[in-house]
Amino acid sequence: ISPKFDIDMGEGSKFTFKGYWFDWDFVQSSREGNIYYHQLETQYTRLLLEKHKVTMGFEYLRQKLDYIYRGGDKWPHVRKAIDTYSGYLQDEWFLSDNLYLVIGARFDSHSTFGEVISPRISGLLDITEKTRLRASIGRSFKSPTIRQLYYPAPFEHGKTEYFMSNPDLKPEYGMGYSLGMEKEFGNKLFSNITVFRNDLDNMVARYYTGETYLDKPLITYENVAKAYTQGLESELKILLMKN
């Protein structure tokens, strides 16, 4: 369930309240339990001095796992919960008719991994009426999920393999960069192309152990000390007809 409520308060002000509720109860021959994600977020946006669109928000996320494995005493009954409290502030600054910047930062307080601040800045420049240049740079933080950390026994995935959690995983940190150009051709053809790169520390990745569990491949998760992702994205939109 994912409700969202927007309240228009006039004069460029808007209040948003949204949530996310996911609850999975499972009962199988060898295991039973419950895993859920509950998330609440409030957000307020206001136009200030006609040049600044300021957004601030607060978010709370709880992940909880209650797991019983009935295959013997090797894996005990596990109860785990992870709480994350977050706040963020963003300013869309209209510097001129053809240039604006978005400057923001996010603060996360994670019950397992502590506190971290993730700043970000991006910009949009109108080179001509139909040509725009975009750029961004920012820091990212991504914590392992409760399933990656705390399942006490391997769990089946897709009927073809088993996954095993790793309670020693560390969170993933990164620096991301992007540069892109958008172009309109007349009123019916729109295109953009973007190059990007992300430099990552402790990237969480799947790791094939070379072992099997119940005659199926056993996979776990490991941290990769240094990694990067980079590439190019392109998009083409065509308005075929008026409707």
Side-chain angles (χ1 to χ4, degrees), residues 169-226:
L169 285 175
K170 301 175 183 177
E172 177 180 302
Y173 298 91
M175 284 294 298
Y177 316 86
S178 70
L179 179 65
M181 180 171 286
E182 302 174 358
K183 180 73 175 177
E184 299 179 24
F185 300 91
N187 296 320
K188 293 189 176 182
L189 188 62
F190 311 88
S191 68
N192 67 62
I193 185 169
T194 302
V195 292
F196 66 89
R197 180 180 173 101
N198 299 291
D199 292 307
L200 304 171
D201 294 329
N202 295 325
M203 184 182 77
V204 177
R206 295 182 180 184
Y207 173 70
Y208 287 81
T209 64
E211 303 175 5
T212 60
Y213 183 81
L214 298 181
D215 298 324
K216 295 179 181 179
L218 182 62
I219 302 168
T220 187
Y221 302 94
E222 295 286 348
N223 286 115
V224 178
K226 295 289 183 180

Side-chain angles (χ1 to χ4, degrees), residues 8-237:
D8 189 347
M9 305 177 69
E11 299 182 355
S13 297
K14 185 175 76 169
F15 179 80
T16 299
F17 176 83
K18 53 187 176 181
Y20 176 76
W21 183 87
F22 172 86
D23 197 342
W24 177 35
D25 289 297
F26 52 88
V27 178
Q28 298 179 357
S29 59
S30 62
R31 61 179 184 155
E32 66 177 276
N34 169 270
I35 183 170
Y36 72 67
Y37 299 85
H38 293 172
Q39 183 179 28
L40 293 173
E41 182 178 358
T42 60
Q43 186 181 97
Y44 178 68
T45 301
R46 182 177 178 86
L47 186 64
L48 298 176
L49 305 176
E50 299 183 352
K51 289 184 177 291
H52 298 269
K53 186 178 180 182
V54 178
T55 300
M56 64 179 66
F58 300 93
E59 181 180 335
Y60 169 69
L61 170 64
R62 162 158 277 216
Q63 306 174 63
K64 188 174 181 180
L65 174 67
D66 190 346
Y67 189 101
I68 301 173
Y69 182 79
R70 294 194 292 263
D73 297 331
K74 184 177 180 180
W75 292 291
H77 183 184
V78 170
R79 291 188 180 96
K80 291 288 186 178
I82 298 175
D83 293 308
T84 307
Y85 298 87
S86 306
Y88 54 87
L89 180 65
Q90 175 179 286
D91 180 17
E92 296 181 54
W93 184 9
F94 300 91
L95 289 169
S96 64
D97 291 339
N98 68 331
L99 174 64
Y100 83 88
L101 295 177
V102 180
I103 304 171
R106 179 183 178 93
F107 171 80
D108 291 294
S109 178
H110 194 283
S111 61
T112 302
F113 299 116
E115 289 71 41
V116 63
I117 297 177
S118 305
R120 179 181 177 87
I121 182 171
S122 62
L124 173 66
L125 174 66
D126 291 324
I127 300 175
T128 67
E129 185 179 350
K130 295 184 179 293
T131 304
R132 292 175 289 276
L133 187 68
R134 290 183 182 271
S136 71
I137 179 172
R139 186 172 189 250
S140 63
F141 164 76
K142 182 180 179 183
S143 64
T145 67
I146 200 165
R147 294 182 69 181
Q148 292 172 332
L149 286 169
Y150 296 130
Y151 264 140
F155 58 93
E156 191 175 19
H157 180 74
K159 305 294 183 181
T160 59
E161 53 200 10
Y162 275 86
F163 278 79
M164 183 170 61
S165 299
N166 180 358
D168 296 323
L169 285 175
K170 301 175 183 177
E172 177 180 302
Y173 298 91
M175 284 294 298
Y177 316 86
S178 70
L179 179 65
M181 180 171 286
E182 302 174 358
K183 180 73 175 177
E184 299 179 24
F185 300 91
N187 296 320
K188 293 189 176 182
L189 188 62
F190 311 88
S191 68
N192 67 62
I193 185 169
T194 302
V195 292
F196 66 89
R197 180 180 173 101
N198 299 291
D199 292 307
L200 304 171
D201 294 329
N202 295 325
M203 184 182 77
V204 177
R206 295 182 180 184
Y207 173 70
Y208 287 81
T209 64
E211 303 175 5
T212 60
Y213 183 81
L214 298 181
D215 298 324
K216 295 179 181 179
L218 182 62
I219 302 168
T220 187
Y221 302 94
E222 295 286 348
N223 286 115
V224 178
K226 295 289 183 180
Y228 69 84
T229 63
Q230 63 183 17
L232 181 146
E233 298 176 342
S234 63
E235 183 178 31
L236 183 66
K237 297 182 182 179

